[in-house]
Amino acid sequence: MTEMVYGAVPVHTGEPILPKWWRTLDKWTMTCILILFVVGLLLGLAASVPLAARNGFDNFHYVQRQAAFGLMALMAMVVTSMMSPTMVRRAAVLGFAGAFVALMLLPFLGTDFGKGAVRWYSLGFASVQPSEFLKPTFIVVAAWLIASSQQINGPPGTLISFGLCMTVVMFLVMQPDFGQSCLVLFGWGVMYFVAGAPMLLLVVMASVVVLGGILAYSSSEHFARRIDGFLNPDVDPTTQLGYATNAIREGGLFGVGVGEGQVKWSLPDAHTDFIIAVAAEEYGLVLVVIVIALYMLVVVRSLFRLMKERDTFIRLAGTGLVCMFGVQAMINMGVAVRLLPAKGMTLPFVSYGGSSLIAGGIAVGMLLAFTRSRPQGEIADFLRGGGRG
């Protein structure tokens, strides 16, 4: 009767893993991610052709690479989503250790590819960006530490996770990579807030972040140049923001037509950071609204499912992952329409990039693992039972 009233998923003894996975999976989130990947391939057909021509490759060289990376990302997402929360946590600890070591070695072994920030390892046939893999694994590890601190006689996990967060941010700022630093801080802050952080402490943390931004502005020419460009009321039409703004304006409601856009020939990052400008110019506001709706559906649906979860670790980790996913999409699109300073951040599952796609697949796989339906896993059941497990 309890299962009929409260909707708990019945346990099927000896049920094979694939049917069980499919039955408990959040299919709406999975569908949205698949659609975003298809949209990314569609936009890649237009945005990456000029880059391939400039580099002497076949017209669809980057689209083929994106499809290959995307298939690897989808496989990683499916495999990760089949794991139990305990397995996800263990894998995240190992993944975080490896990504953190790679991040520390970047100043000695990494490269900047002429972009002014040492963020990648060059493998010859491809490049790897450790920070992309560090983000989701850090969120899970930090959630585990914060959750453990709430147990009776538990360790000071919140303090340890904060120290870990500051260490990660320090190494990211050294690259410099202020965008990823902000994402890591935001992800930790969201989990800390959900765990019951005092509002005064959050205000103090926000003040520290603002102070850090002022310090970065005064000490980093790279950071100051981007802020000055954002605050300048006049947009230089020959800059990336100028090209993107004009493309969005030209696209209007329904776009100029498939393949008819011109911004992809001017923007060097049209296939990555400014992919939404290509979408707006060729397909118009209609496609942009659809993309925004897909991201919103993933975030809102996941948060609603996590609200019903009574396991503190699962609730914190899932919330951190989905909020980071949504904010990264918001930052990318906000930069393109000049609501935010340029950050050099990809649009999840839509922009070109092997590290971004595969790390995104792992992150969403973790999220799907945390939001799978579990019997007696809802916090409402726990409260109705007067606190009995």
Side-chain angles (χ1 to χ4, degrees):
M1 181 61 72
T2 302
E3 292 172 354
M4 293 175 63
V5 174
Y6 300 121
V9 178
V11 178
H12 299 282
T13 305
E15 185 178 10
I17 186 171
L18 284 177
K20 181 180 179 182
W21 168 77
W22 181 250
R23 177 175 54 79
T24 57
L25 182 72
D26 183 0
K27 301 175 186 62
W28 281 98
T29 295
M30 173 73 86
T31 302
C32 289
I33 296 299
L34 292 175
I35 294 174
L36 285 170
F37 174 60
V38 172
V39 169
L41 287 179
L42 180 67
L43 296 176
L45 288 170
S48 64
V49 170
L51 180 66
R54 285 196 295 267
N55 292 338
F57 294 125
D58 178 75
N59 283 345
F60 303 115
H61 171 78
Y62 291 103
V63 179
Q64 293 168 356
R65 286 173 64 88
Q66 185 175 5
F69 288 134
L71 289 176
M72 294 170 62
L74 294 178
M75 288 175 60
M77 179 177 69
V78 170
V79 171
T80 307
S81 67
M82 291 181 178
M83 296 180 181
S84 67
T86 301
M87 289 182 64
V88 170
R89 187 192 69 209
R90 292 171 179 170
V93 171
L94 294 176
F96 174 76
F100 186 65
V101 170
L103 186 71
M104 290 192 297
L105 293 177
L106 269 177
F108 310 101
L109 304 176
T111 182
D112 63 355
F113 289 111
K115 296 186 177 182
V118 182
R119 302 176 184 174
W120 299 271
Y121 286 104
S122 178
L123 305 180
F125 61 92
S127 61
V128 177
Q129 188 174 354
S131 61
E132 292 288 354
F133 297 93
L134 188 76
K135 289 184 300 184
T137 54
F138 166 76
I139 289 295
V140 176
V141 171
W144 174 42
L145 290 170
I146 295 173
S148 66
S149 68
Q150 298 185 358
Q151 298 174 359
I152 299 175
N153 297 324
T158 301
L159 183 61
I160 296 172
S161 70
F162 179 70
L164 205 58
C165 178
M166 290 297 100
T167 304
V168 169
V169 167
M170 180 187 68
F171 279 103
L172 288 172
V173 169
M174 287 170 57
Q175 295 182 1
D177 193 342
F178 297 104
Q180 302 285 22
S181 303
C182 290
L183 269 184
V184 169
L185 276 172
F186 173 79
W188 186 88
V190 165
M191 292 189 296
Y192 191 37
F193 174 76
V194 172
M199 187 58 68
L200 179 61
L201 185 57
L202 291 175
V203 171
V204 172
M205 287 180 59
S207 303
V208 171
V209 170
V210 172
L211 183 62
I214 296 173
L215 198 62
Y217 179 82
S218 60
S219 60
S220 172
E221 182 181 349
H222 173 78
F223 186 81
R225 187 168 58 250
R226 292 194 169 188
I227 297 297
D228 290 340
F230 171 70
L231 295 176
N232 190 346
D234 300 319
V235 182
D236 186 350
T238 61
T239 62
Q240 294 199 94
L241 283 175
Y243 288 128
T245 303
N246 183 65
I248 294 170
R249 186 186 305 114
E250 292 293 327
L253 187 60
F254 297 106
V256 299
V258 180
E260 298 298 322
Q262 298 302 313
V263 70
K264 58 195 177 187
W265 297 98
S266 306
L267 274 174
D269 294 325
H271 62 311
T272 53
D273 300 350
F274 290 92
I275 190 76
I276 201 68
V278 177
E281 185 182 30
E282 298 200 358
Y283 297 92
L285 181 64
V286 174
L287 181 61
V288 175
V289 170
I290 291 173
V291 170
I292 293 173
L294 290 169
Y295 285 113
M296 286 182 61
L297 184 58
V298 171
V299 173
V300 173
R301 184 171 177 83
S302 297
L303 288 176
F304 269 107
R305 292 174 75 95
L306 289 164
M307 284 172 60
K308 302 175 182 179
E309 177 61 57
R310 73 182 187 188
D311 186 289
T312 304
F313 162 67
I314 295 175
R315 194 165 62 249
L316 293 178
T319 301
L321 287 169
V322 75
C323 287
M324 182 180 287
F325 175 82
V327 166
Q328 180 170 338
M330 185 182 71
I331 290 174
N332 178 277
M333 291 184 281
V335 167
V337 298
R338 207 165 176 259
L339 286 175
L340 295 169
K343 284 287 192 299
M345 200 169 292
T346 59
L347 189 59
F349 288 95
V350 176
S351 296
Y352 173 84
S355 295
S356 175
L357 274 171
I358 296 173
I362 294 172
V364 173
M366 291 176 172
L367 177 63
L368 289 170
F370 292 139
T371 56
R372 282 172 58 185
S373 301
R374 276 175 290 275
Q376 305 300 320
E378 297 190 356
I379 193 169
D381 297 334
F382 179 74
L383 295 176
R384 289 188 189 98
R388 295 188 300 271

